[in-house]
Amino acid sequence: FASRVSYDDFVWGCETARSRAFSGAYSGSAFNPVPYATVGACVAAYLGLGMGTVEQAANGAALVVCGSILKDFVLPKLLKVQKYVICPLIDMANHVGVGATGNVAFEYFSDGFSLAAVEPGATQGSEVFIQYGPRNNDQLLQYYGFVEGDNVHDVYILPPIREWDIAALEEACGRKVGPGRLEKLDRAGLLGRATKLDPSPTETEAANDIGGVVLTRATGIDPAVIQALRALMSSDAEW
């Protein structure tokens, strides 16, 4: 393989597939009429030959139908199965963080993907935008090669409070940190972690493996951080 494909071509192929592939909430298989047709034929033969009652035949048919629903819809959600696909034409739709005018969906019965305009957002002659998910600009740049202005999903991770310049904070607030405050907040877990997460953190945790201060455009700063700063800089009477 290495003799036929250069490293640069390999990276290009991986990045192209990664930026074009998408997944959705449904991760089962397409509708397959064969089991249902087989069940129908078996039920007809079962009743026609007088091998049992209608109730028995209905119970058997219901068992097959329930098993199919369980396989296609329930188990993939419970097991959180994630499948990625590359579909020509649909992957040409561009992303917008808020106000998508299009929606991509898997059509169970036709075994294909559809891109439908969402009314009333889409108008004739206008571009149809879809949403790649609540992606911040770091993710958009890394995986898709672009950033979005005023991205409401942007997340900023600042150093944890334990790494802040306390002297500068005291100067800005015009008061001193009370004795023992940092130790008490540290025991409460409000100063961030002294060591990195281990093992196997999630994607979000990996980006903030030392418990930094999280600031988002959508919700602002974490309320727990605001409480920690208030407690840290409060007077003895306020404490």
Side-chain angles (χ1 to χ4, degrees), residues 94-101 129-133 148:
N94 288 320
H95 163 85
V96 65
V98 177
T101 55
F129 290 92
I130 63 175
Q131 189 192 64
Y132 296 172
E148 186 177 17

Side-chain angles (χ1 to χ4, degrees), residues 160-163 180-195 210 228 231-232 239:
I161 297 177
R162 69 170 61 253
E163 297 181 8
R181 299 285 176 81
L182 287 171
E183 291 76 8
K184 291 178 180 179
L185 292 177
D186 192 18
R187 288 196 296 270
L190 296 175
L191 298 186
R193 288 180 286 270
T195 57
I210 57 174
L232 183 64
W239 178 268

Side-chain angles (χ1 to χ4, degrees), residues 28 34 45 47 64 73 79 122 126 132 155 159 180 230:
V34 174
L47 295 176
V64 174
F73 294 99
L79 300 177
S126 64
Y132 296 172
V155 177
R230 286 175 175 169

Side-chain angles (χ1 to χ4, degrees), residues 68-202:
S68 179
I69 294 175
L70 183 69
K71 177 180 70 71
D72 285 344
F73 294 99
V74 180
L75 287 181
K77 291 185 179 297
L78 291 178
L79 300 177
K80 296 183 179 180
V81 177
Q82 194 77 300
K83 293 183 179 179
Y84 291 88
V85 299
I86 296 178
C87 186
L89 300 182
I90 284 183
D91 68 353
M92 296 175 65
N94 288 320
H95 163 85
V96 65
V98 177
T101 55
N103 181 59
V104 175
F106 177 73
E107 302 295 340
Y108 177 70
F109 291 101
S110 60
D111 190 18
F113 289 89
S114 66
L115 173 58
V118 179
E119 297 295 345
T123 58
Q124 185 174 359
S126 64
E127 181 177 0
V128 173
F129 290 92
I130 63 175
Q131 189 192 64
Y132 296 172
R135 307 288 187 184
N136 60 51
N137 276 339
D138 280 347
Q139 295 170 315
L140 291 177
L141 182 60
Q142 180 179 357
Y143 295 121
Y144 305 104
F146 69 91
V147 295
E148 186 177 17
D150 298 324
N151 188 347
V152 297
H153 302 295
D154 263 344
V155 177
Y156 306 94
I157 300 177
L158 308 179
I161 297 177
R162 69 170 61 253
E163 297 181 8
W164 288 18
D165 188 338
I166 300 300
L169 185 61
E170 290 176 331
E171 182 179 353
C173 295
R175 60 174 65 179
K176 295 291 185 179
V177 174
R181 299 285 176 81
L182 287 171
E183 291 76 8
K184 291 178 180 179
L185 292 177
D186 192 18
R187 288 196 296 270
L190 296 175
L191 298 186
R193 288 180 286 270
T195 57
K196 294 185 177 181
L197 285 175
D198 185 57
S200 303
T202 64

